Amino acid sequence: MSTLGLAGTASLTRLALRRDRLMLPVWALVTGGLVASGAGSLQSLYGTAAQRAELAASMSANSSMRSLYGPVFDDSLGGLVAWRFGTFAAVLAAVMSLVVVVRHTREEEETGRQEMLSAGAVGRRAPLTAALLAALTANTAVVLIVTAGLAGQGTAGALALGLAIGGTGMVFATMAAIVAQLTESARLAKGLTAGLLGLAFVLRAAGDAGTADGDSVLSWLSPVGWAENIRAFDADGERWWVLALIAAAVLVQTAVAYGLTARRDVGMSFLPTRPGPADGRLATAGALAWRLQRGTLLGWSLGFLLGGLVFGGMVEGAADIVGGNEQARQIFERMGGQSALTDAFLGTMVGLFGMVAALFAVGSVLRLHGEETSQRAEPLLAAPVGRLRWAAGHLVVAFAGAALILLLSGVGLALSYGRELGPILGAALAQLPAVWTLAGLAVLLWGAVPKAAPAAWGVAGVCLALGWIGPALDLPQAALDLSPFGHLPKLPGGDMAWTPVLVLTALATVLTAAGLAGLRRRDMAG
């Protein structure tokens, strides 16, 4: 590789890190902090070696738990942290990495910014190198946070777990680098790479469900399975050689990505978009919005349905998760709101689905921001299409789509658990006012202060963290109430409280209306 091909890499790397100066630190802190704080949470729940051994034994015998979290390789506090948080932290690092790489490669080309930058002294491989260095910086931060946070449980195990998480992030960063060369759309590049990540998780889950030792063929076919098979904190010693497998995958995929980027022009791809018919078939702005977002909605719908089926099959094993641990029972009751353990578990799962559905709704709303900043909205609005009518098409997908995926999660839970459909669907739909409130906030930020629109992701992330980790950390109710989800009735099994539901629905309406009013008054991005 010639140095000419890397000209301008340092400048582009600084630009990428500056653009992501808020997103990357927050994502790294959330991912690394989730793992680092896990030791304290588990220590408060399972304070004795006997309790930890009982938990490890019950989880190893439960195939549903293994499919979700992976096998338990050691009953030490560090081993339980690696089991409980390692897989999900690796997935979070992978999502962070693929978003960063696509954002600074294909998205830059799609918006035309890369063409302007390439007119200067910028080498052909510099943009890809800068994107990978930005991803490497973020993953290195995750490794350092995890290692420092868990060093008290054993330095070798903490380093192994940190490298497993960060290494998984880099595997999918380089995978996204390849996919970004193949597609013309940043949205499609993210979707395809996320689909490969989902496939890797499913392969790992299927392999772990069939065996308790993690050595299934299916697990070894998955990069997520490689992360768990490093076996951080294992009493028999970590498998450091698995890191060589991760490093080899990163190097090979990087070489392939560099080879592909050298063989195409800026803005082009190896799988060009198929041209549409000569006469357009999209008669309205709403039809265009549906066409642009239907693939995303389909993916979320399938994911929520499958998630409901998986979690529904775990309800009967809820007693195994808790065992005789009163503190664990209290956490489930605090999240699910009911004293009956199965209802509390179902309420917890429904609440988690609601918080994740808010991410879909916010992303769907912010598609408007992307259409505007990429200047694709400008030619559309130059036609006899009003701003409100254009925005309404995307907002219908965001608000109605959130209702659809929550319904599908409830269907999956009910079918897998074998419980009457009505109460679970009601519990799922009870999450909608909070989801719509966060979506309405995204509309307000985009409509009134478009530069602040990405902050909606941060608000949704904080709400997810409060609902997911807050009860385990025993945060005061005042802190939990900062999230709209903290005000919802705890269903199924509890009494329906209409006041917070109606108040949040009204708040979502006001926020959305205010955002649309701001859109009418302000200038569009040019």
Side-chain angles (χ1 to χ4, degrees):
M1 182 186 307
S2 67
T3 55
L4 182 61
L6 295 176
T9 297
S11 297
L12 290 181
T13 302
R14 289 194 297 271
L15 176 62
L17 293 176
R18 177 175 173 76
R19 290 181 61 198
D20 292 340
R21 62 187 180 277
L22 295 178
M23 181 183 74
L24 289 186
V26 169
W27 208 314
L29 285 171
V30 169
T31 303
L34 173 67
V35 180
S37 65
S41 300
L42 290 172
Q43 177 67 40
S44 64
L45 292 173
Y46 307 96
T48 67
Q51 288 177 320
R52 293 192 288 270
E54 180 184 357
L55 174 67
S58 62
M59 293 300 98
S60 295
N62 191 316
S63 61
S64 295
M65 291 295 104
R66 291 200 308 270
S67 68
L68 184 62
Y69 298 114
V72 184
F73 294 117
D74 193 79
D75 60 10
S76 66
L77 193 58
L80 291 178
V81 170
W83 160 76
R84 177 61 180 82
F85 299 103
T87 297
F88 285 103
V91 171
L92 285 175
V95 173
M96 172 188 69
S97 302
L98 73 89
V99 168
V100 168
V101 170
V102 174
R103 171 179 168 84
H104 296 296
T105 53
R106 176 52 61 184
E107 189 172 311
E108 289 293 278
E109 296 184 33
E110 189 178 10
T111 58
R113 288 190 291 263
Q114 189 56 56
E115 187 174 4
M116 292 188 294
L117 290 172
S118 297
V122 174
R124 180 181 291 271
R125 298 181 177 91
L128 176 58
T129 305
L132 291 175
L133 287 175
L136 178 62
T137 301
N139 282 292
T140 300
V142 172
V143 173
L144 293 176
I145 292 170
V146 172
T147 303
L150 294 178
Q153 308 303 322
T155 304
L159 179 60
L161 181 57
L163 290 173
I165 296 169
T168 304
M170 288 309 300
V171 168
F172 283 93
T174 52
M175 190 181 296
I178 295 175
V179 176
Q181 314 304 315
L182 301 178
T183 66
E184 284 189 358
S185 164
R187 177 169 52 91
L188 182 58
K190 292 176 185 176
L192 288 177
T193 311
L196 292 172
L197 173 59
L199 176 62
F201 186 88
V202 169
L203 285 173
R204 195 276 318 158
D208 288 343
T211 177
D213 59 8
D215 276 330
S216 166
V217 173
L218 293 176
S219 296
W220 283 107
L221 291 175
S222 166
V224 180
W226 302 344
E228 72 178 19
N229 270 300
I230 292 176
R231 299 195 175 186
F233 295 103
D234 193 337
D236 295 330
E238 286 77 17
R239 289 176 168 180
W240 295 102
W241 60 268
V242 179
L243 289 173
L245 179 62
I246 293 175
V250 170
L251 292 175
V252 169
Q253 291 183 154
T254 300
V256 172
Y258 278 132
L260 292 175
T261 197
R263 289 171 172 79
R264 67 176 183 86
D265 293 330
V266 174
M268 296 295 102
S269 68
F270 290 94
L271 299 175
T273 303
R274 185 163 52 95
D279 297 323
R281 293 176 295 183
L282 300 176
T284 65
L288 176 60
W290 167 249
R291 175 66 180 82
L292 292 173
Q293 300 213 46
R294 65 183 182 183
T296 302
L297 180 57
L298 176 61
W300 280 85
S301 297
L302 291 176
F304 268 56
L305 179 60
L306 291 174
L309 292 171
V310 170
F311 285 118
M314 295 165 50
V315 175
E316 294 295 345
D320 294 333
I321 303 174
V322 174
N325 192 291
E326 184 59 29
Q327 288 176 302
R329 177 184 290 272
Q330 289 175 1
I331 289 177
F332 273 111
E333 291 175 358
R334 197 176 185 197
M335 294 178 72
Q338 303 303 322
S339 57
L341 187 56
T342 54
D343 282 342
F345 186 83
L346 282 170
T348 300
M349 294 301 103
V350 166
L352 288 176
F353 278 125
M355 288 181 279
V356 176
L359 300 179
F360 161 80
V362 169
S364 186
V365 169
L366 294 185
R367 181 62 191 269
L368 287 161
H369 182 61
E371 293 292 300
E372 179 183 355
T373 55
S374 64
Q375 299 184 13
R376 290 189 293 267
E378 187 175 356
L380 183 65
L381 294 175
V385 177
R387 294 185 181 189
L388 297 187
R389 189 148 58 95
W390 165 66
H394 290 275
L395 297 185
V396 167
V397 175
F399 285 78
L404 173 63
I405 62 177
L406 282 173
L407 276 174
L408 290 174
S409 70
V411 169
L413 283 169
L415 290 177
S416 185
Y417 178 40
R419 181 165 172 169
E420 186 179 350
L421 185 61
I424 297 182
L425 287 184
L429 290 177
Q431 306 298 312
L432 271 178
V435 174
W436 286 345
T437 297
L438 293 179
L441 177 62
V443 177
L444 175 63
L445 290 174
W446 166 69
V449 193
K451 289 185 178 180
W457 285 115
V459 176
V462 169
C463 292
L464 178 60
L466 285 173
W468 189 9
I469 307 173
L473 298 179
D474 199 24
L475 294 180
Q477 188 61 42
L480 299 181
D481 286 343
L482 293 175
S483 166
F485 292 96
H487 301 275
L488 295 175
K490 302 297 184 180
L491 302 173
D495 295 328
M496 180 61 187
W498 286 103
T499 300
V501 169
L502 295 175
V503 169
L504 287 173
T505 302
L507 178 60
T509 303
V510 171
L511 291 172
T512 302
L516 293 176
L519 174 65
R520 293 187 65 183
R521 289 193 299 267
R522 70 172 174 84
D523 293 333
M524 298 291 287

